Amino acid sequence: MMHVRFQFCWLALLAFFAPLVCGQPPDLATVKQEIAAQIVTAIAEGDLPGAVVGFWHDGSWLVRDAYGDRQVEPNREPMTLDTVFDMASITKPVATATSVMILVQRGQLALDAPVKQYLPKFTGDGRDAVCVKHLLTHTAGLIPDNAIGDYESGVETAWARLYGSSIKTTPGTKFVYSDVSFLLLGKIVEMVSGQSLDQFARTNIYEPLKMENSGYSPSTALRPRIAPTEPRDGVMLRGEVHDPRSALLGGVAGHAGLFSTLDDIARYSQMMLNNGELDGVRVLRPETVFKLTAPHVLETRADFGPVTRTNGFDHHSAYSYNSGDVLSDAAYGHGGFTGTVLWIDPVRNCFFIFLSNRLHPDGKGNVNRLAGSIAKKIVERCLPELPKPDDLTKISLGVDVLQQAGFRQLRGLRVGLVSNQTGRDAAGRSTAELLREAPQVKLRALFSPEHGYEGMLDQSRIGDSTAAGLELPIFSLYGESRRPSAAQLEQLDCLVYDIQDIGCRFYTYISTMRECMMACAEHGKKFIVLDRPNPLGGLNVRGPLIDAGKESFVACHALPVQHGMTVGELALLMRQELELKLELEV
């Protein structure tokens, strides 16, 4: 135990003096001391030999430190910041789900498509109902793991058994964390792209992001920096994947096999926070990042509540306690069996990385609660407090919700705003000005309804103009045309609609919204509604429906005179009844 006591003293002294030398804020200095003490205690208790911890916020590292050793048997090696780790299940979002989404944005893969469309052998006995999105969210009805014996007769036999995996529950109804799902996703990437998963991920993710130490089956040149895990057949694993199924498939699989470092995972995380782009290189489109990270309610459990995950990441499940449960509702992340943790929070503009080889040397370590405790300590003590949610009896306008989310849905997008004088937040600030000032939001044009952008014109036709002080064109949707043209939409990625309705069908603003939705559907643009309350309420619905064939700009849809819906609800209704192929977000 002498080496443990010596190590504790050395780390404690380092943690105490380093902040004073570097001039860090006192609170952060104290937090770093406490983190060091926590990790040393965990090392002494056999939970891990060492770790690398990083916490990045608003463009800089708050914590970026190495603790303990990366190897203790057969000889001791100190942990370093450039240590390479077996990332285990962090492979799922970083390598596999990201690769899947790249193929989705290229139009080569569809989330709603049945898996058998890409893997024809995955068919029969309930498998035909499994879609790609079910694999990504662990709702395909597949078991967590198939027997290791399925892999011991060779790769071909292993895949025959995987294609024949039984479906235990109706797809889309129950969350069961499944390595089998991501094994199949890795094979889909291979079949659709014509490249192996490791080649595709390297070419399309690691190389563009300059993740120079990341990939499957690391080279012998990296071996001296690789953190070993535990023995297999009497030989300590170092540079060979720990997961036995991945190992029997040659080290490349959709569920496990990625090796990486703190700085490489940080580059991936920065790309995600920057809506798919890093250092001028775009890996994912902003809308693809949203598809990858938006949470979905998978089921509701009596003892837990809603279980939510994204198309590849954890969000709120029985596995997410390694986040510390203090990040915003927009945070997403994942853990790995070997002792790795990654959480990314776009609202707080931060990410947390905890890398350890907790299985070394005897396979008995445990770090999830340690990682969660460290994240919680940093967030609560070193980050600004998030605004408290409004009382449930109060109303939050759509534009206010967008602000609270840090304009995450619009980062990196070229935006057109459909609005007028009613488009304001709860503090009275113009939505156009808010979008103009929002970081990474590219407001390119305004679109005005009847009565013009300022609501002051009472005339049958209104021409285009320029917004004073904003230096933006205002395209009139109450002039030559009442629908945005292809030319106007060409330089935009999405339209944002923010106009107060009065709750009656004859107010033409909802007709303008309908025309904009149809234009976006026709030209493949996203449509976002910043919802507002119906001033007449949502309980009373009165008056007859418009007669079929009598629709006009003052009665554009089959609605009662008093419709009882918000504009967001109207948009959802119109998309469904008009059967629009439109990416709509309210």
Side-chain angles (χ1 to χ4, degrees):
M1 294 297 293
M2 181 64 70
H3 67 274
V4 174
R5 286 193 292 270
F6 174 78
Q7 179 176 281
F8 179 87
C9 294
W10 176 78
L11 278 172
L13 287 170
L14 179 63
F16 182 80
F17 286 113
L20 302 180
V21 173
C22 298
Q24 295 171 341
D27 201 34
L28 178 58
T30 303
V31 166
K32 294 183 76 168
Q33 292 175 39
E34 294 173 4
I35 292 171
Q38 273 186 280
I39 293 177
V40 170
T41 299
I43 291 171
E45 293 175 351
D47 285 335
L48 72 168
V52 174
V53 179
F55 198 103
W56 184 98
H57 175 247
D58 275 353
S60 62
W61 290 102
L62 295 183
V63 176
R64 183 175 176 269
D65 293 310
Y67 309 86
D69 299 311
R70 68 173 165 229
Q71 177 174 290
V72 296
E73 291 184 9
N75 55 286
R76 191 171 300 279
E77 294 180 14
M79 187 68 75
T80 59
L81 286 171
D82 63 354
T83 296
V84 179
F85 291 87
D86 181 338
M87 301 300 294
S89 284
I90 290 180
T91 302
K92 290 180 173 74
V94 173
T96 308
T98 305
S99 294
V100 166
M101 287 300 175
I102 289 171
L103 293 172
V104 169
Q105 74 180 10
R106 291 177 181 174
Q108 296 177 264
L109 189 62
L111 297 180
D112 290 323
V115 172
K116 69 175 183 178
Q117 180 174 323
Y118 309 107
L119 303 178
K121 294 181 181 179
F122 187 79
T123 188
D125 296 326
R127 289 180 283 273
D128 292 356
V130 178
C131 296
V132 175
K133 65 183 179 183
H134 297 141
L135 299 181
L136 286 164
T137 55
H138 301 274
T139 57
L142 292 162
I143 59 174
D145 290 303
N146 55 332
I148 196 68
D150 289 351
Y151 299 80
E152 292 175 341
S153 298
V155 173
E156 188 174 333
T157 300
W159 278 108
R161 301 280 174 80
L162 284 164
Y163 292 144
S165 297
S166 60
I167 304 300
K168 300 297 184 182
T169 58
T170 302
T173 62
K174 185 176 177 60
F175 166 69
V176 177
Y177 184 82
S178 172
D179 283 352
V180 174
S181 288
F182 271 78
L183 279 157
L184 293 169
L185 284 167
K187 180 60 73 171
I188 288 174
V189 171
E190 179 182 329
M191 299 300 287
V192 172
S193 71
Q195 295 179 286
S196 64
L197 176 60
D198 59 330
Q199 292 171 334
F200 185 87
R202 179 173 298 282
T203 302
N204 295 280
I205 304 171
Y206 315 140
E207 289 179 354
L209 293 177
K210 297 181 181 178
M211 297 169 63
E212 297 174 352
N213 298 298
S214 298
Y216 290 88
S217 304
S219 67
T220 54
L222 287 179
R223 183 180 174 85
R225 290 196 281 122
I226 295 175
T229 50
E230 63 178 320
R232 178 183 292 149
D233 300 326
V235 179
M236 186 66 71
L237 293 175
R238 187 169 194 175
E240 296 179 45
V241 62
H242 177 268
D243 182 90
R245 292 166 180 81
S246 179
L248 289 168
L249 291 172
V252 178
H255 72 297
L258 174 65
F259 285 75
S260 192
T261 63
L262 172 70
D263 286 348
D264 276 9
I265 296 299
R267 290 192 65 78
Y268 174 88
S269 304
Q270 287 173 303
M271 177 273 292
M272 294 294 287
L273 286 176
N274 202 35
N275 256 358
E277 183 180 355
L278 183 64
D279 296 338
V281 177
R282 180 162 293 285
V283 173
L284 300 172
R285 296 176 192 151
E287 60 267 30
T288 308
V289 173
F290 183 77
K291 287 179 183 177
L292 176 56
T293 61
H296 304 274
V297 178
L298 308 181
E299 62 173 327
T300 300
R301 297 179 178 174
D303 60 339
F304 186 83
V307 176
T308 51
R309 295 198 49 118
T310 82
N311 286 319
F313 284 94
D314 193 4
H315 179 260
H316 178 64
S317 74
Y319 301 94
S320 57
Y321 63 94
N322 55 17
S323 70
D325 295 326
V326 288
L327 298 172
S328 80
D329 288 340
Y332 51 90
H334 216 283
F337 184 78
T338 52
T340 55
V341 176
L342 167 65
W343 281 88
I344 302 170
D345 188 341
V347 170
R348 288 189 178 274
N349 195 28
C350 69
F351 56 81
F352 170 62
I353 302 170
F354 181 98
L355 303 178
S356 76
N357 52 333
R358 59 107 185 168
L359 298 170
H360 184 70
D362 55 11
K364 297 180 180 178
N366 194 335
V367 299
N368 275 327
R369 296 204 179 278
L370 172 65
S373 173
I374 291 171
K376 182 180 178 72
K377 192 184 301 290
I378 297 170
V379 170
E380 290 185 339
R381 303 263 293 276
C382 302
L383 267 60
E385 187 175 348
L386 285 177
K388 287 182 170 54
D390 290 337
D391 186 279
L392 293 178
T393 61
K394 296 180 180 178
I395 292 172
S396 292
L397 302 175
V399 64
D400 293 314
V401 173
L402 185 68
Q403 287 185 80
Q404 290 165 10
F407 299 92
R408 174 172 79 97
Q409 295 89 335
L410 300 181
R411 289 182 189 170
L413 294 182
R414 299 169 300 171
V415 177
L417 174 64
V418 185
S419 193
N420 62 5
Q421 80 281 5
T422 68
R424 296 183 178 277
D425 70 359
R429 292 169 295 183
S430 160
T431 301
E433 293 175 355
L434 291 169
L435 295 186
R436 183 75 171 192
E437 296 170 2
Q440 302 176 44
V441 177
K442 304 169 184 176
L443 182 61
R444 294 286 188 258
L446 303 176
F447 294 82
S448 63
E450 184 181 3
H451 304 303
Y453 181 70
E454 300 294 339
M456 302 292 289
L457 303 176
D458 188 13
Q459 56 197 63
S460 59
R461 284 181 178 242
I462 299 172
D464 295 342
S465 59
T466 301
L470 293 175
E471 298 179 355
L472 290 171
I474 302 176
F475 297 119
S476 173
L477 299 179
Y478 200 73
E480 296 274 333
S481 174
R482 294 182 179 176
R483 179 182 297 189
S485 68
Q488 291 166 350
L489 293 175
E490 184 178 3
Q491 301 302 316
L492 302 177
D493 298 307
C494 73
L495 283 185
V496 175
Y497 179 93
D498 189 18
I499 300 177
Q500 177 64 55
D501 184 42
I502 65 164
C504 296
R505 75 176 182 216
F506 48 75
Y507 228 46
T508 63
Y509 296 155
I510 61 175
S511 300
T512 296
M513 180 177 73
R514 187 178 189 264
E515 292 293 325
C516 289
M517 290 172 62
M518 295 174 74
C520 285
E522 180 182 356
H523 298 290
K525 307 297 181 179
K526 185 174 182 178
F527 193 75
I528 298 175
V529 177
L530 302 182
D531 212 358
R532 292 181 171 273
N534 183 328
L536 301 181
L539 299 180
N540 296 321
V541 177
R542 295 190 176 96
L545 296 176
I546 188 74
D547 292 336
K550 299 293 185 180
E551 295 87 358
S552 68
F553 199 62
V554 293
C556 68
H557 202 83
L559 298 171
V561 175
Q562 183 179 339
H563 53 68
M565 288 180 277
T566 69
V567 288
E569 291 169 329
L570 284 170
L572 293 167
L573 174 75
M574 291 174 178
R575 180 178 66 171
Q576 179 175 333
E577 295 191 347
L578 295 172
E579 298 182 349
L580 297 178
K581 293 182 178 180
L582 172 68
E583 185 177 358
L584 170 65
E585 182 180 357
V586 178

